[in-house]
Amino acid sequence: MPSTRLLRTVALQACLLLIYICLLQAIELQLHEQQLQQQLLDEQLRLHQQQQLLKQQREQQLQQRRYSSTTSTRKPYIIPQGLSLPQRGVYPEKCLREVPAVFFQYDKELKIVGNSSTNPYFNVIEVCCKGWRRYEYDWSRCVPDCGERCRENGFCLPGGRCQCFSDFVLNYRNECVPTCPLGCPHGQCYLNGTCRCERGYELDGSKRFCQPQCNTTCGHNEICLEPGKCVCAEGYARGLRESNALGCQPMCIPDCGYGHCVAPNQCECFPGYHKRMNRSSCEINCYMRCENGFCANQTTCVCQNGYRYDHNTTSCLPDCGDDCRNGVCVSPGNCRCFNGYVRNRERCDAVCDRGCGFYGRCIAPNVCGCAIVAGPEESYQRCENGYCNAEGHCRCLEGKTRFIDKCMSPDTVTTYASINPLRVNASLMHEFQLLLGRHFILGSPDMLQTNRWWD
């Protein structure tokens, strides 16, 4: 009997241990399943965030793709979307346009003189006329421009018209969408070629695609974008909060100036004001070009936001603030650095291939500035193709000799001085002013302007 009780006790304990092990395994499996579910949710959230980020990037690219180069030799910053091809035998005329010559400057020391016969600060170039754009694969050709429309599944035709591919149709968003039997966005295709729309959508008048339903009729200049959601049509926007009751009003970019916007990008001028050729803003007669702005009176040009007035061109040029001294501002806030400079956040910094040593600072392409105490660029001793020592002086590499502010081969000094007398004089003046200039007065100011002030 005692042995039987012992066996029963052992068996009971073994059963309890087995049940305990099974429970542990079940709990472990449940925890593992929860971890997998959490990982799946995290992955779905990550993918959703990534898709939203890509969508935002695409929207930003679409907004910025108009900022493209207008020359015939440089590619645009962003190639426009949409299928627009040159048509056989169709060669649209090109238009001549004057653009500021400073946009063609790529070297800081080399100033550009324009080819315009009326103003040397302008270059005359060929551009595609209104309604056309450069063909991204052959910049000598112009193709129709549909703007934001006809981005896929269709061709852009002259006049900004979109022709969809076969079995595609233009929907309420100006997008080419498939029709049954290929597909039916927001709906389901049947074998007989008809489409049944999802809840919140209905067939359009042609019964070829589904369009959203809005419970209430959309207001003037509004469209039903999503089920139960009305938004302003293309070219229209709501005003400020206090004028929200006016509904969707037309937008004119740039502003109409002395006029009011009567339709998208169509201005009606007040009495006494007019629009110049190829302009949309209403202004008064004035002698200035005032591009990217409008003439408030005969002597005042009011620039658009992001632009500043330039006296040489009498126009409004893009403004990048004070951080674009070593580059050209090609669009508001967008600075293109000169050759030998690289972008460092908002400004352009010079690049010295061999560095300037611990005691130097790169102040121009391959030009080091030497000084013991840091200061403005003008206070540095220039050291081209050399390096700075601990005393703040310029030193050349082995085999090179220093001539004023430049390290070069000894046999090229005489040739360099005879070919570049103006630069040699300017270098001598700068070097003398840094070292001893504060102790001397070099005659009259006119003497400083001569080619050889030391004679």
Side-chain angles (χ1 to χ4, degrees):
M1 291 296 293
S3 60
T4 304
R5 289 181 181 179
L6 181 60
L7 290 174
R8 288 179 180 178
T9 302
V10 172
L12 180 60
Q13 292 179 351
C15 292
L16 292 175
L17 180 61
L18 184 60
I19 294 173
Y20 178 73
I21 294 174
C22 293
L23 288 174
L24 287 178
Q25 290 181 349
I27 293 174
E28 185 178 357
L29 289 175
Q30 186 176 6
L31 291 176
H32 183 65
E33 184 178 359
Q34 290 178 354
Q35 290 177 355
L36 291 177
Q37 291 178 353
Q38 185 63 36
Q39 291 178 359
L40 181 61
L41 291 175
D42 293 342
E43 182 66 18
Q44 291 177 350
L45 179 61
R46 187 187 65 81
L47 291 175
H48 178 70
Q49 292 176 347
Q50 186 177 4
Q51 291 175 356
Q52 292 294 327
L53 180 61
L54 292 175
K55 183 179 179 180
Q56 293 177 0
Q57 291 176 352
R58 285 195 296 267
E59 292 177 352
Q60 292 176 357
Q61 289 178 355
L62 288 175
Q63 292 176 359
Q64 297 175 358
R65 70 189 180 94
R66 292 299 177 192
Y67 296 127
S68 59
S69 173
T70 55
T71 69
S72 58
T73 57
R74 294 181 62 83
K75 293 185 177 181
Y77 299 120
I78 299 176
I79 297 177
Q81 295 185 3
L83 185 57
S84 188
L85 302 174
Q87 297 181 354
R88 182 177 299 177
V90 177
Y91 296 93
E93 293 184 1
K94 295 181 180 178
C95 296
L96 295 179
R97 179 184 175 188
E98 287 188 333
V99 296
V102 68
F103 291 160
F104 298 85
Q105 182 179 355
Y106 292 92
D107 291 310
K108 186 175 182 178
E109 305 299 331
L110 183 62
K111 302 298 182 182
I112 301 298
V113 178
N115 60 4
S116 173
S117 59
T118 58
N119 191 328
Y121 294 99
F122 281 91
N123 261 347
V124 180
I125 62 173
E126 273 191 344
V127 297
C128 296
C129 297
K130 188 177 181 179
W132 301 79
R133 64 174 175 85
R134 295 280 186 183
Y135 183 44
E136 51 264 29
Y137 301 105
D138 182 2
W139 272 57
S140 64
R141 302 291 300 273
C142 294
V143 293
D145 185 10
C146 286
E148 303 296 330
R149 301 183 299 275
C150 210
R151 287 159 48 188
E152 56 184 9
N153 302 323
F155 289 103
C156 182
L157 301 180
R161 296 180 295 109
C162 183
Q163 178 180 331
C164 298
F165 297 155
S166 179
D167 295 325
F168 288 82
V169 64
L170 200 66
N171 70 354
Y172 58 97
R173 289 188 173 184
N174 288 319
E175 298 174 350
C176 291
V177 296
T179 59
C180 292
L182 289 183
C184 183
H186 304 292
Q188 183 178 4
C189 286
Y190 287 90
L191 294 177
N192 59 1
T194 61
C195 176
R196 181 180 179 181
C197 298
E198 299 173 354
R199 184 177 180 181
Y201 291 84
E202 62 180 354
L203 288 173
D204 76 308
S206 64
K207 298 187 181 299
R208 303 186 66 187
F209 64 88
C210 296
Q211 60 184 10
Q213 285 180 316
C214 288
N215 298 330
T216 58
T217 304
C218 293
H220 188 54
N221 299 326
E222 289 184 340
I223 61 171
C224 186
L225 184 65
E226 297 176 1
K229 181 181 180 181
C230 293
V231 297
C232 295
E234 183 180 3
Y236 294 84
R238 297 188 184 275
L240 300 175
R241 182 177 301 177
E242 54 269 17
S243 61
N244 193 36
L246 299 176
C248 297
Q249 300 297 313
M251 294 189 303
C252 288
I253 301 175
D255 186 78
C256 287
Y258 290 103
H260 62 277
C261 192
V262 295
N265 293 328
Q266 293 184 15
C267 297
E268 185 176 295
C269 298
F270 299 144
Y273 299 91
H274 68 283
K275 290 183 284 188
R276 298 195 207 182
M277 184 180 298
N278 299 325
R279 302 275 190 95
S280 59
S281 297
C282 300
E283 51 189 340
I284 199 171
N285 286 325
C286 68
Y287 73 93
M288 296 171 286
R289 291 175 179 260
C290 199
E291 292 188 22
N292 302 314
F294 66 92
C295 286
N297 52 52
Q298 294 183 350
T299 59
T300 304
C301 175
V302 178
C303 296
Q304 302 172 17
N305 291 334
Y307 292 83
R308 58 173 178 80
Y309 182 74
D310 178 65
H311 292 279
N312 293 329
T313 60
T314 66
S315 295
C316 299
L317 300 184
D319 187 15
C320 294
D322 298 329
D323 298 320
C324 197
R325 292 182 299 174
N326 297 321
V328 175
C329 189
V330 294
S331 62
N334 182 17
C335 180
R336 186 195 68 211
C337 299
F338 290 130
N339 294 336
Y341 294 84
V342 294
R343 191 70 177 266
N344 182 11
R345 296 183 179 179
E346 293 84 7
R347 67 178 189 271
C348 296
D349 289 343
V351 177
C352 293
D353 297 333
R354 296 180 179 178
C356 294
F358 182 76
Y359 301 96
R361 171 189 169 192
C362 190
I363 58 176
N366 289 323
V367 177
C368 296
C370 301
I372 299 177
V373 180
E377 280 189 14
E378 295 78 12
S379 65
Y380 286 86
Q381 182 187 28
R382 293 174 63 89
C383 183
E384 186 172 351
N385 298 323
Y387 65 95
C388 303
N389 63 8
E391 299 175 354
H393 295 158
C394 178
R395 291 293 179 264
C396 298
L397 299 175
E398 186 177 355
K400 302 290 184 180
T401 186
R402 181 180 168 214
F403 180 66
I404 309 176
D405 62 351
K406 185 180 179 69
C407 293
M408 59 180 64
S409 299
D411 55 345
T412 60
V413 172
T414 304
T415 304
Y416 172 78
S418 60
I419 294 177
N420 303 284
L422 294 179
R423 183 178 178 186
V424 169
N425 295 343
S427 301
L428 279 172
M429 292 173 62
H430 179 74
E431 190 84 357
F432 185 89
Q433 185 67 26
L434 284 177
L435 299 177
L436 301 171
R438 62 185 180 274
H439 302 296
F440 294 87
I441 298 178
L442 300 176
S444 64
D446 296 335
M447 185 180 297
L448 295 177
Q449 303 300 325
T450 60
N451 287 345
R452 297 182 180 277
W453 54 267
W454 60 82
D455 289 343

